[in-house]
Amino acid sequence: MTIDEQITAEVLRTIARDEQIKESVLRSSSLYPLLLAAAKRYVTGETRQEVQSRAKELEEKGYRLSVEYIGENTLDAKACEQVKNEFLAVIDDCSVLQRPVGVSFDLSHVGLLVSQEQAFAHVEEMAVAAARNQHDVMISMEESTKTEAIMAMYERLAQRHENVGITIQAHLHRSVEDVQRVLALPGKIRLVKGAFKEPRDIALARSAELNERYLQLAEMCVNAGHTCAFATHDQLIVDELQKRDYFSRPEVELELLYGVRPELAQSMQQNGIPVRLYLTYGKEWYLYLCHRIAEYPPNIHKAIADMFDPTRTAHVGYGEK
């Protein structure tokens, strides 16, 4: 990134976490539809019906799928119960698909900040429902202040349910030890760089050093023969993973966010590499949109164009006919 792009990324990550800005946007009758139009490049829609429709189309094109109902930091027990029920409905909907799906979620969305026991019970119910159709449930990683609680919850769940997986953020300094911890458990490991703004004493900035850390963690997973998804759009990392022939291993796949680099998804799939697309839906798309643009600030140009021509995002790549 250029200096200006780095500044833009930092600003976007900051405003993404500003609740006053978020509320102003979501309550604005003029801004809401404009930003929703931009978000639909990366979010399949606001409803479960929209994500399921897109999932069927993409499965027909040969992609593996992950699905997430977007949300986090739910602070009301009743609301957490409603979120869990929405995930159970997602799991049920996915039973009509031909391949198993990864159902992803933030623990703070299903109760981690209300009651750890409630969160555990909710995920356990989701895991049991998912296992009936051979689906996985994948725990996403959140800010570093929650990392240890998430890791401890995962270790507890994974000892009871083999279809519960975990996400590891390569940028955190603790992640080498965290990968060593989770390699002893059966669930899938999803390796990401990390999207959250963290202090330098906790995490690496986007850099060549971070790329090396990512590859180090990838090597640990592959050498252990562990099921893993390498979730990255960084061409340098993808090229190195290919050079090392990691994608030829049956336990390894490439995971890409819906709407981000669809041309990479197509080319990798055409070369016989298993590609999983991460589909999201729901009304909590504001944070997600900010993070997608922050990861590659020139996407702001696409966002502005999408706001004023929503047809641009009606079919986002992936070999549409």
Side-chain angles (χ1 to χ4, degrees), residues 166-283:
I166 188 69
T167 305
I168 299 292
Q169 299 181 104
H171 72 162
L172 296 181
H173 298 321
R174 60 174 287 162
S175 290
V176 173
E177 289 75 21
D178 285 344
V179 167
Q180 291 171 339
R181 284 170 68 175
V182 299
L183 282 175
L185 297 166
K188 179 191 289 185
I189 298 171
R190 177 197 287 133
L191 183 60
V192 302
K193 277 190 176 181
F196 296 98
K197 183 179 178 180
E198 301 284 1
R200 297 298 171 86
D201 61 331
I202 290 175
L204 295 172
R206 293 295 170 108
S207 60
E209 186 179 5
L210 175 54
N211 285 4
E212 287 302 315
R213 169 76 60 74
Y214 189 103
L215 292 169
Q216 175 191 3
L217 299 177
E219 183 177 26
M220 290 170 64
C221 293
V222 170
N223 286 346
H226 204 90
T227 303
C228 53
F230 296 139
T232 179
H233 308 95
D234 188 316
Q235 192 64 54
L236 292 175
I237 291 179
V238 171
D239 289 346
E240 182 61 27
L241 294 171
Q242 282 189 281
K243 182 180 177 181
R244 297 182 183 189
D245 202 30
Y246 287 171
F247 292 121
S248 69
R249 296 171 180 259
E251 71 276 10
V252 174
E253 65 185 7
L254 176 66
E255 185 162 1
L256 301 172
L257 297 172
Y258 174 76
V260 180
R261 298 204 64 196
E263 80 289 348
L264 175 62
Q266 285 182 258
S267 66
M268 296 293 278
Q269 189 195 54
Q270 288 167 1
N271 288 327
I273 292 169
V275 177
R276 185 176 298 274
L277 297 179
Y278 193 108
L279 312 184
T280 59
Y281 80 98
K283 294 185 179 294

Side-chain angles (χ1 to χ4, degrees), residues 21-295:
I21 294 176
K22 175 183 173 181
E23 287 303 311
S24 295
V25 167
L26 298 183
R27 291 178 182 177
S28 171
S29 60
S30 55
L31 283 177
Y32 187 96
L34 286 175
L35 288 177
L36 176 58
K40 282 193 173 181
R41 179 168 293 277
Y42 311 105
V43 177
T44 61
E46 293 189 313
T47 68
R48 199 167 66 249
Q49 291 72 27
E50 288 172 295
V51 73
Q52 285 301 315
S53 175
R54 195 68 177 120
K56 289 177 184 177
E57 294 174 5
L58 292 166
E59 184 184 56
E60 289 175 0
K61 298 178 188 302
Y63 293 103
R64 303 178 183 184
L65 301 173
S66 290
V67 177
E68 180 187 2
Y69 171 50
I70 305 173
E72 61 176 357
N73 297 337
T74 311
L75 298 175
D76 176 78
K78 185 175 180 180
C80 292
E81 182 82 16
Q82 291 170 342
V83 170
K84 180 263 297 182
N85 289 336
E86 177 70 14
F87 275 111
L88 291 175
V90 170
I91 291 166
D92 186 58
D93 285 352
C94 287
S95 65
V96 304
L97 298 173
Q98 300 303 308
R99 292 189 183 92
V101 171
V103 178
S104 296
F105 61 96
D106 284 344
L107 273 173
S108 71
H109 200 191
V110 296
L112 183 67
L113 303 185
V114 177
S115 160
Q116 291 201 1
E117 289 309 309
Q118 181 190 43
F120 179 86
H122 284 172
V123 180
E124 189 159 55
E125 188 175 350
M126 290 159 56
V128 169
R132 295 190 191 109
N133 290 291
Q134 298 183 310
H135 300 314
D136 293 325
V137 291
M138 292 295 300
I139 299 172
S140 298
M141 195 51 75
E142 306 181 48
E143 304 97 320
S144 61
T145 53
K146 302 172 189 169
T147 301
E148 185 53 39
I150 292 170
M151 288 290 295
M153 181 73 72
Y154 170 67
E155 289 174 320
R156 184 181 170 194
L157 285 159
Q159 290 171 8
R160 293 166 61 98
H161 303 281
E162 292 188 359
N163 66 327
V164 179
I166 188 69
T167 305
I168 299 292
Q169 299 181 104
H171 72 162
L172 296 181
H173 298 321
R174 60 174 287 162
S175 290
V176 173
E177 289 75 21
D178 285 344
V179 167
Q180 291 171 339
R181 284 170 68 175
V182 299
L183 282 175
L185 297 166
K188 179 191 289 185
I189 298 171
R190 177 197 287 133
L191 183 60
V192 302
K193 277 190 176 181
F196 296 98
K197 183 179 178 180
E198 301 284 1
R200 297 298 171 86
D201 61 331
I202 290 175
L204 295 172
R206 293 295 170 108
S207 60
E209 186 179 5
L210 175 54
N211 285 4
E212 287 302 315
R213 169 76 60 74
Y214 189 103
L215 292 169
Q216 175 191 3
L217 299 177
E219 183 177 26
M220 290 170 64
C221 293
V222 170
N223 286 346
H226 204 90
T227 303
C228 53
F230 296 139
T232 179
H233 308 95
D234 188 316
Q235 192 64 54
L236 292 175
I237 291 179
V238 171
D239 289 346
E240 182 61 27
L241 294 171
Q242 282 189 281
K243 182 180 177 181
R244 297 182 183 189
D245 202 30
Y246 287 171
F247 292 121
S248 69
R249 296 171 180 259
E251 71 276 10
V252 174
E253 65 185 7
L254 176 66
E255 185 162 1
L256 301 172
L257 297 172
Y258 174 76
V260 180
R261 298 204 64 196
E263 80 289 348
L264 175 62
Q266 285 182 258
S267 66
M268 296 293 278
Q269 189 195 54
Q270 288 167 1
N271 288 327
I273 292 169
V275 177
R276 185 176 298 274
L277 297 179
Y278 193 108
L279 312 184
T280 59
Y281 80 98
K283 294 185 179 294
E284 294 293 325
W285 45 259
Y286 171 79
L287 174 67
Y288 195 80
L289 173 62
C290 289
H291 278 170
R292 298 294 76 78
I293 300 175
E295 287 168 354

